Amino acid sequence: MVAGCGTGTKESKPETSEATGGAADEKDGGTLTIALSATPKNLDPVDYTGVYEGNVIINVCDTLVKYDKSLQNIIPAIATEWSVSDDMKTYTFKLRDDVYFQKGKYQDGRKMTAEDVKYSLERSAKESAMNRLSMLDHVDVVSDTEIKAVLKAPNAAFLTALTDAGNTIVPKEEVEGWGDQFGLHLVGTGPFKLVDFIKDDSVVLERNEKYWGQKPHLDGVVFKFISDINMMANALRTGEIDVATDLVGESINVIKQSDDLVLEEVPGLVVSYVYMNMMQGPTADRKVREAIISAVDIDEMVKGIYTWGEAQRGYLPLPPGSWGYDPSLESLIPAYNPEKAKQLLTEAGYPNGFETEIHVGNKPARMKMSTIMQNYLKQNLNIDMKIQVSEWGTFSDIASKGKAPLYGMSWTWYPDPYFFLNQMFHSSQIGSLGNGQGFNNPEVDKLLDDAVTTTVDINERAALYKKALKLIVEELPQIDYAHEKVIYGLNKNVQGFVVSPDNQINLVTSEINVWKQK
């Protein structure tokens, strides 16, 4: 899942809507209308490919475990507790015994069993469109309330993978009864049940009265699709919707100017960066890479790209919302210093600059970044950088094969550093889009391997990732310039809503229960 998905810093933590009242104020009733900027195509967990679909699925279905709202810890959901074998290949889960499916066409709201967990997880391992559970070999049913998940090899990121909407628990009768239409008739065990899915218009949910967790305050939820962000902001202003998502540009200003609305933003689990080719060309020399970083005023570049503040300045190849992030390493990134940049480039043997090119996809933010960077490199280092823009397929082919001297893109995934650092810097990924620049450091490889094969303790894993991150940053492989924000607008009547760095909308969990004041 590239370009597509928590720690430490205060500002990185999810925010709860400002007007949230105390427990005594909480009220039942009402329907919450949430606008999504893209249309879900398929709600079958194994077929979904976008966050818009995932946001519906996680409110209809349950996973075995979840991230807490700070994205720091894995907490129980359908599984009440779990343990891992000494060889880290077998995870044993104890299951709740009070979980029921919503009623569907092919079953009448029966009790969920351990066989359903086995069926759902093995189905995902075999059929997931995004290989979301590829590390799973099989599941053994031990009893009605206990299963063992057996992995192909040790992988401490397994629990994180289980939090994904693609790995939710569904009933076999409904899946096989509906066939390829199951995505239009999703049934799960979650806090809301699917009432209607009107393609290209809306998804309607209503409260699941037999939900095993805390009773949802809301009577129902409507996910409405509004692709034009300005129209979405206006719909929020007029009261047509309660929550506007994915806000950018002038729509942000519309929300800020209204006394009846609240604008909430958190840094997303996203890193936007420029890779520099470490296998060939001038950028294979660390001095050249340092010169390029020093020649670009990154603060000003970020302001120029995100004119409405849609991103925060980035420093490291890991988002602040990941529990592997280490803010102390930010100081290792060279500051803007044109004189030093010129000196470094001269020492590297390029006193008069050189010609190069940057490859980017056809996204406005990437093209704007390229133009700004092009000006800095010409002005400060006499580097002539041509900008090559192409559609995603062509871009990813060139970049992954190490053919691009420089290339700009973004990366997003789970809070677990594995999904960033192992994919972007392990030498085994050279030749893939994750490590198309050719980063190769055996010491980093070992630390990254140890972080998923020697321990499942999150603190021990974080320590290993921070060591690897320091070694990576010291090589200055890329310019990590921004973390794009997750920006929502809410009516002040909406209470308890959490805007999360992973852009997931959870309306009812053990920590969250959204309600409306009126």
Side-chain angles (χ1 to χ4, degrees), residues 166-191:
N167 299 322
T168 50
I169 309 306
V170 291
K172 182 177 179 179
E173 309 95 296
E174 298 292 335
V175 173
E176 299 192 350
W178 285 108
D180 59 9
Q181 296 296 300
F182 178 60
L184 299 174
H185 306 277
L186 180 65
V187 171
T189 63

Side-chain angles (χ1 to χ4, degrees), residues 223-243:
F223 288 95
K224 189 174 180 63
F225 315 135
I226 305 176
S227 58
D228 185 304
I229 297 299
N230 291 324
M231 286 181 62
M232 188 191 292
N234 284 331
L236 180 64
R237 191 170 51 81
T238 61
E240 181 185 347
I241 61 173
D242 300 300
V243 179

Side-chain angles (χ1 to χ4, degrees), residues 340-362:
K340 184 178 180 183
K342 184 69 178 172
Q343 179 188 338
L344 286 165
L345 203 64
T346 299
E347 291 174 5
Y350 302 97
N352 300 313
F354 55 83
E355 293 184 356
T356 188
E357 57 185 29
I358 186 169
H359 290 253
V360 292
N362 53 0

